[in-house]
Every structure is written in C-alpha cells, then in structure tokens.
Amino acid sequence: ACLAAGRGHSAVGGVSGGWAGHASAIVRGALDTRVRDDSSDPAYLVAAIGPSIGPCCYEVGHEVVGQFGNLFPEWDTLTARRNLDLVEASRRHMEQGGVLLENIDTGEFCTACGTTLFESYRRDGEASGRMVSAISQGATTLASRAAL
C-alpha cells in the first residue's frame, strides 16, 4: 500500500495494487488526482510505501514484464521472466509525479521470505491472514503494519 499526506493540508490518501495496478499506474493516477483536486504541490507530499512481496520472491512471466518497459527502461529485454519490485515501481511512479525521493519512506521488507511479521498468501497459502494500512488526518507519522 502507498500512503500519502500533504504537509500543511488535512487531506490524506492511500492506494494498493499488485502487478496489474502498478502496470496501469494506479499510484501515479491517485497522485495526479490528489494534486489536481487539492491543488497540492507534490514536492510537499510525504509518502510511505508499505511492505509487499519483494523482488527476491516475485518472479513474473513475460506477459507481465512487457507491461513494465516504460517504468523499468534498464530491463534489456521484455520477453523473459523477471523478478518484479513493486516497492520500486511505486517509488518511480511517485517520483514521476513530483514527490521528492527524500519524502518517500519504505520498509524494504519482503512479506514472503523476509519476516513473519507480515502476512503472505504466497508463503502461507489459504491459511494466511490479511494486511491493512492506515493513514488519518492530522497524523504526524505514516504507518503500515500487519493486521492482528
């Protein structure tokens, strides 16, 4: 999940998406809508990207890879399997939308292998729980944590 708040504004927002949401630029779309509707300067936004499956455990096929060529221009081919980094995809969408890199916080946890602090369907199958991220107006910090 990606959470964002504007310094000096009461509006907050959050968006979550897997590979399909990232391929359709859901994070960038939400950011663009926020900036348009609130007349916010994205340079004043602070954001948090919550834990997700990491590139160490998230291999995707060429049909997915091909949808990320514009976001990952360093990929030399779009016809092979790759390990997809959803946190980096979110970070790049935010940066493209004007959020300053120093205002983007990430946990850098892989929910599948890095820790048992977070739920993971890929790791635990049907027995897995769910995760929740939250943000509120007037918050001084952003947080993303596993549902208990």
Side-chain angles (χ1 to χ4, degrees):
C2 298
L3 308 174
R7 294 180 183 172
H9 290 86
S10 61
V12 297
V15 65
S16 180
W19 75 261
H22 282 77
S24 67
I26 189 171
V27 173
R28 177 69 190 273
L31 176 62
D32 290 347
T33 299
R34 158 96 198 230
V35 169
R36 183 189 68 237
D37 291 352
D38 293 340
S39 299
S40 299
D41 181 345
Y44 292 101
L45 292 177
V46 292
I49 302 171
S52 68
I53 189 166
C56 52
C57 295
Y58 197 35
E59 185 179 11
V60 295
H62 70 278
E63 67 284 354
V64 173
V65 170
Q67 298 182 53
F68 285 88
N70 291 335
L71 198 57
F72 292 99
E74 69 274 15
W75 287 355
D76 56 351
T77 180
L78 301 178
T79 59
R81 297 182 70 77
R82 289 230 177 241
N83 288 55
L84 182 59
D85 188 341
L86 294 176
V87 169
E88 183 61 21
S90 295
R91 186 177 312 157
R92 290 181 185 198
H93 280 297
M94 288 183 183
E95 185 180 18
Q96 289 172 356
V99 179
L100 302 177
L101 281 178
E102 61 265 22
N103 291 344
I104 302 171
D105 188 30
T106 62
E108 302 296 337
F109 291 104
C110 174
T111 56
C113 75
T115 179
T116 56
L117 292 173
F118 305 105
E119 300 295 335
S120 173
Y121 186 86
R122 285 189 181 242
R123 183 187 64 224
D124 302 328
E126 295 284 332
S128 70
R130 298 294 174 255
M131 291 182 33
V132 63
S133 295
I135 186 171
S136 66
Q137 291 179 335
T140 57
T141 60
L142 303 175
S144 178
R145 67 182 200 96
L148 300 178

